[in-house]
Amino acid sequence: IYQALEEALQSDGTPYVEVTDADIASGALLLSDGTPRYPIVFSLASEAINNNEVAPLRSYVNAGGTLFVGSSAFTRNPDGTARGNFALSSEMGVRMASSSLDNWIESRDFIKVMDHRLIAHVPSGVLSWLMAWAKGVYVPGANYMWHVQNIDAQVLANVASDPLLTTKN
C-alpha cells in the first residue's frame, strides 16, 4: 500500500520523506523545540509496531502533527503476534471489531455520512467501490477492509453500517 502512496506523491511532485521505525522510536518526528518535523505521517497497513514507538507517535500528534492511519496499521507486535487492538486505539477513536488477525470484512460500497474536507469531492449517496485486486483486474467481492467499531471518532464514511473513514482531533 505504501508504494501506491509513493507513486501518487511522486507523480504530482509532492516531496516526502520515508520515516523508519528507528526514526520514530528515537523521537525524530519532533524538532528540538517540540513541534512536529512533518505536517503528516502516513501509516498504511504497516501492522507491526514496537511499544517504544507508541509514545513518540502520541507525542507527535499531541504536538499538532497529523497521523493518517489506514487498514490494519498498528495491530501486531514486531514478532507478528496480535496486539488485540490498535496500539493507538483511544487516540484514533476506533477499536478492532475482533481481537484476532482475521478481522477483514468485504467492502463494496462507500457511503458518505457527512461533509468534511477529506471527502468534499465525493458525491453523496451509496457509491460502488470497485478496487483492483490483482494485476489491475477487478475481482467481484474482493474488496476488503479492516473491521473497526467506533468509540468516539467522527465517522465520515461507512461501508454498510461499519465505519470506513473516520477522523479524530
Side-chain angles (χ1 to χ4, degrees):
I1 292 177
Y2 76 90
Q3 290 170 326
L5 176 60
E6 284 180 347
E7 181 65 30
L9 295 173
Q10 288 172 358
S11 71
D12 74 356
T14 301
Y16 67 92
V17 174
E18 286 189 31
V19 180
T20 67
D21 292 341
D23 293 334
I24 294 169
S26 72
L29 296 180
L30 298 177
L31 297 170
S32 59
D33 67 359
T35 59
R37 182 177 305 275
Y38 312 104
I40 187 167
V41 171
F42 291 91
S43 182
L44 304 176
S46 52
E47 295 179 341
I49 184 172
N50 199 318
N51 288 335
N52 67 353
E53 297 171 72
V54 177
L57 285 167
R58 188 175 287 127
S59 295
Y60 167 77
V61 171
N62 287 335
T66 298
L67 187 58
F68 189 105
V69 179
S71 187
S72 54
F74 308 153
T75 58
R76 293 180 189 245
N77 295 300
D79 66 2
T81 59
R83 295 184 75 86
N85 205 349
F86 296 105
L88 295 166
S89 179
S90 61
E91 290 83 1
M92 292 165 49
V94 294
R95 66 176 164 259
M96 291 170 43
S98 166
S99 61
S100 80
L101 295 175
D102 186 20
N103 191 44
W104 299 97
I105 60 171
E106 279 192 33
S107 168
R108 290 197 178 126
D109 297 325
F110 184 102
I111 305 165
K112 185 175 179 177
V113 174
M114 63 178 301
D115 286 322
H116 187 277
R117 64 188 175 116
L118 288 176
I119 55 172
H121 61 288
V122 177
S124 296
V126 178
L127 304 173
S128 291
W129 192 16
L130 308 177
M131 295 187 62
W133 183 252
K135 297 182 182 176
V137 177
Y138 171 69
V139 178
N143 299 335
Y144 290 92
M145 64 173 247
W146 197 251
H147 194 193
V148 301
Q149 295 173 333
N150 188 30
I151 300 170
D152 60 357
Q154 185 177 35
V155 178
L156 306 181
N158 282 337
V159 57
S161 61
D162 296 306
L164 176 65
L165 180 63
T166 64
T167 187
K168 183 174 177 186
N169 289 334

